Amino acid sequence: MAKLNIVLHEPEIPANTGNIGRTCVATGTRLHLIEPLGFRLNEKAIKRAGMDYWKDLDVTTYLDYNDFLEKNPGAKIYYATTKAPQRYTDVRFEEDCYIMFGKESAGIPEEILLENQATAIRIPMIGDIRSLNLSNSVAIVLYEALRQHQFDHMQSEGHLTKYQWK
């Protein structure tokens, strides 16, 4: 079973982190938060966005990027950024890999990207748009990684409540 990891490097907006937390719960994905955070984890906004799913979230926080690396030695990390040379669809996401996203105002620091060019990935966009919303970006890349693993631990079929599909 593919167990994936989403990493948020210094997230700033509680609603984005709450939405991402909800997506992680829905997909069985672990969430890793690298401090400093632009909010407190007990804020109402994060709980509202994560709804009642937040209590079920597998979440770990780290003091900084180095603390994250020390506590996850040998982790295969993909760095999602608008500055990457390759698309997120060009890589094969391994089981237990980590997909990192940067803070909303600045992304992942360029010195980290420079050290990890081979695993830096981007979502294609047109024109001069700065970036997509963070929670949307996480969903796009995470679901591609899950698709590559045939959604192996997920419910693939929906059911009507009052009727049956023909």
Side-chain angles (χ1 to χ4, degrees):
M1 174 170 93
K3 186 75 171 181
L4 299 170
N5 298 274
I6 293 296
V7 183
L8 302 182
H9 186 273
E10 302 179 5
E12 299 167 314
I13 301 173
N16 281 338
T17 300
N19 287 331
I20 292 164
R22 183 175 179 174
T23 299
C24 287
V25 171
T27 59
T29 301
R30 298 179 194 109
L31 179 61
H32 304 263
L33 302 174
I34 298 175
E35 296 181 349
L37 308 179
F39 49 86
R40 291 183 310 278
L41 286 176
N42 62 355
E43 277 190 35
K44 190 186 311 183
I46 198 168
K47 304 257 178 168
R48 182 175 32 242
M51 296 184 66
D52 54 343
Y53 300 101
W54 194 259
K55 66 181 175 17
D56 300 319
L57 180 62
D58 181 355
V59 62
T60 306
T61 58
Y62 303 89
L63 297 175
D64 56 29
Y65 179 67
N66 288 328
D67 184 38
F68 167 76
L69 292 177
E70 288 170 14
K71 291 180 178 166
N72 297 285
K76 177 68 176 206
I77 307 168
Y78 292 93
Y79 298 84
T81 173
T82 59
K83 302 169 179 119
Q86 64 184 331
R87 295 179 305 224
Y88 73 102
T89 55
D90 294 336
V91 300
R92 174 77 179 141
F93 294 98
E94 298 86 347
E95 289 187 21
D96 299 315
C97 72
Y98 293 71
I99 308 167
M100 182 180 290
F101 296 81
K103 62 182 166 183
E104 291 89 340
S105 66
I108 299 170
E110 287 193 359
E111 54 272 10
I112 294 173
L113 296 175
L114 194 56
E115 293 171 4
N116 297 284
Q117 180 177 340
T119 56
I121 56 173
R122 69 175 278 117
I123 299 169
M125 295 177 287
I126 60 171
D128 296 328
I129 188 162
R130 192 166 26 104
S131 65
L132 296 172
N133 173 274
L134 179 60
S135 61
N136 292 338
S137 296
V138 168
I140 289 168
V141 178
L142 176 58
Y143 267 85
E144 170 59 17
L146 292 165
R147 184 198 65 78
Q148 289 181 10
H149 292 278
Q150 281 74 52
F151 305 104
D152 66 356
H153 66 286
M154 300 174 75
Q155 182 178 337
S156 321
E157 194 175 294
H159 302 282
L160 298 173
T161 55
K162 294 181 181 181
Y163 305 96
Q164 290 191 11
W165 294 110
K166 295 179 182 179

